[in-house]
Amino acid sequence: MSGRGPARRGVLTAAAGLAAVAATAPRAHAAGPSGGGAGPSRWTTSWATAQTAPTATDTVASAGLTDGTCVANVRLSAGGAVRLRYGHAFGTLPVLVGPVTAGGLPVTFGGRRQAWIAAGASLTSDPVAGLRAAEAARLTVETRLPGPTGPLSFHRNTHASHSVDGEHTTSVFLLTGVEVTGAHGPVVAVLGDSITEGVGTPDDADLRWPDQLARRLPGSAVANLGISGNRLLLDDARFGPGGQARFDRDVLSLPGLRTVLVHLGVNDLQQPPSQTDPALVLAGYRQLVLRARNAGLRAVGATIAPFGGWTRWTPELEAVRQRINAAVRTGRVFDAVVDFDAALRDPERPSLMLPAYDSGDGLHPNPSGHAALAAAVDRRHLL
């Protein structure tokens, strides 16, 4: 699991291969007459993102749009018939959505090309007639917003290229999910921070560790709910509600979910004000596990990876990290454990990430490090 010696070379080779797979992955395509809404009736998430409220520096999201067009290019995990989901979690006004196309085909809502999404609510489309997505397909969703919309709920940085009125952006506005009918493997939501979101990987490469995990699990669906800077316990105006506050909306609302994998905690330690009581972090984990079990989900927890090269690391915070990880490894907190600490750490200096996995800042792994994280997840823990 540490990725050293021959095992490490295998992970690096696998990362190169996965990059080639991403470059040649299929696109969603129009089906024949039997494709619209055909197949099993069980919908599952295939792509998802978590929203935050805009701040003053998020000029497009904070100002909103009038007669604007947002184009999102999303990488699916599982395939099948397709429907879309929009959310306006932080809105204060209803927003008119549409017309919308997915894969170039018209999208309807209750048979109509336009629909209102209420402030704080979600909006799910009809199955897209004639569209059947392949597994790992890239799907383009074009959404017109007549507006004026007012401030828009959004995901700031998906590490993928999109556009607003023809201008490049890495943000996705209002669109929160693509749901499909073809998942036949584990359906997993990853509640995480910047490492899960994809910091340390190139844009448009689909080398975030949840992407790489999905490619390891044919037929699976993996929803990336990472938000840069996100914490387990505390909310933040820029980095969004903490994991406990957003769990019901971002995780429990997803259709067909079987497992939630929690990868939060490092920002509770390193972002001011630092959380230096491991008991509070562990209590936060236990609350998420309780809520997951109440919803019939399996809860898998990840240890906190080393961040000794990060600017705000201190020996005192390292001691807290070690105590939290020791408690998680006992197996008495989560239903199963993924040891991300063991997957990334330098065996000679365990407070540091292995140099071959470090993106350069001591906190965020590079694509090879993301491959090591994906390889550390045991498929049996997701079923």
Side-chain angles (χ1 to χ4, degrees):
M1 292 176 64
S2 61
R4 293 172 284 279
R8 188 200 321 167
R9 289 193 293 273
V11 167
L12 295 174
T13 302
L18 289 169
V21 170
T24 59
R27 301 180 70 86
H29 63 278
S34 63
S41 60
R42 179 175 177 268
W43 292 93
T44 67
T45 187
S46 179
W47 172 89
T49 194
Q51 293 185 329
T52 60
T55 63
T57 59
D58 302 305
T59 53
V60 174
S62 59
L65 297 172
T66 298
D67 198 21
T69 299
C70 302
V71 177
N73 299 294
V74 303
R75 177 73 70 184
L76 306 184
S77 43
V82 172
R83 68 184 185 186
L84 307 180
R85 185 176 185 180
Y86 291 84
H88 199 16
F90 301 94
T92 57
L93 297 171
V95 172
L96 183 61
V97 174
V100 175
T101 63
L105 296 172
V107 177
T108 59
F109 304 86
R112 298 177 179 273
R113 293 299 311 279
Q114 292 182 309
W116 289 93
I117 179 171
S122 65
L123 173 69
T124 301
S125 79
D126 303 327
V128 182
L131 181 63
R132 194 164 189 88
E135 189 174 306
R138 188 180 294 278
L139 179 68
T140 297
V141 177
E142 183 172 310
T143 305
R144 181 169 171 258
L145 299 174
T149 64
L152 293 168
S153 306
F154 78 135
H155 186 101
R156 184 173 290 107
N157 188 0
T158 64
H159 301 278
S161 294
H162 317 287
S163 68
V164 177
D165 291 337
E167 298 294 324
H168 175 269
T169 181
T170 58
S171 301
V172 169
F173 302 85
L174 295 185
L175 183 68
T176 59
V178 178
E179 300 169 1
V180 300
T181 58
H184 53 84
V187 181
V188 183
V190 184
L191 186 71
D193 50 35
S194 57
I195 297 175
T196 295
E197 186 190 69
V199 173
T201 67
D203 288 354
D204 301 313
D206 300 314
L207 292 175
R208 298 160 290 233
W209 74 260
D211 298 322
Q212 301 198 48
L213 175 63
R215 289 195 288 272
R216 283 186 54 229
L217 305 171
S220 66
V222 180
N224 186 335
L225 303 176
I227 299 176
S228 281
N230 202 232
R231 299 177 184 243
L232 172 69
L233 300 175
L234 297 182
D235 300 343
D236 186 274
R238 181 167 180 79
F239 304 133
Q244 290 194 106
R246 67 187 181 98
F247 188 78
D248 291 16
R249 178 182 63 248
D250 290 349
V251 176
L252 298 187
S253 65
L254 297 180
L257 197 62
R258 176 68 185 90
T259 302
V260 57
L261 196 161
V262 179
H263 183 211
L264 289 170
V266 69
N267 291 321
D268 294 80
L269 273 59
Q270 66 88 17
Q271 281 181 185
S274 294
Q275 177 52 256
T276 57
D277 185 350
L280 293 180
V281 174
L282 292 168
Y285 287 155
R286 290 188 177 97
Q287 281 297 308
L288 295 187
V289 172
L290 178 63
R291 289 154 69 186
R293 288 173 178 167
N294 286 345
L297 304 182
R298 183 172 177 80
V300 178
T303 54
I304 301 174
F307 65 103
W310 182 246
T311 180
R312 288 196 285 266
W313 178 90
T314 68
E316 292 75 21
L317 294 180
E318 176 66 15
V320 176
R321 184 181 77 91
Q322 293 290 355
R323 288 177 62 187
I324 293 169
N325 285 350
V328 168
R329 287 190 186 103
T330 64
R332 293 193 293 271
V333 179
F334 293 96
D335 296 320
V337 177
V338 178
D339 202 339
F340 282 174
D341 174 38
L344 293 184
R345 71 187 177 214
D346 186 334
E348 304 300 325
R349 298 175 298 171
S351 67
L352 298 174
M353 198 182 311
L354 198 68
Y357 293 158
D358 192 347
S359 68
D361 64 11
L363 173 63
H364 300 99
N366 60 22
S368 296
H370 279 259
L373 295 180
V377 181
D378 189 331
R379 176 189 176 96
R380 295 170 298 178
H381 293 161
L382 306 179
L383 300 174

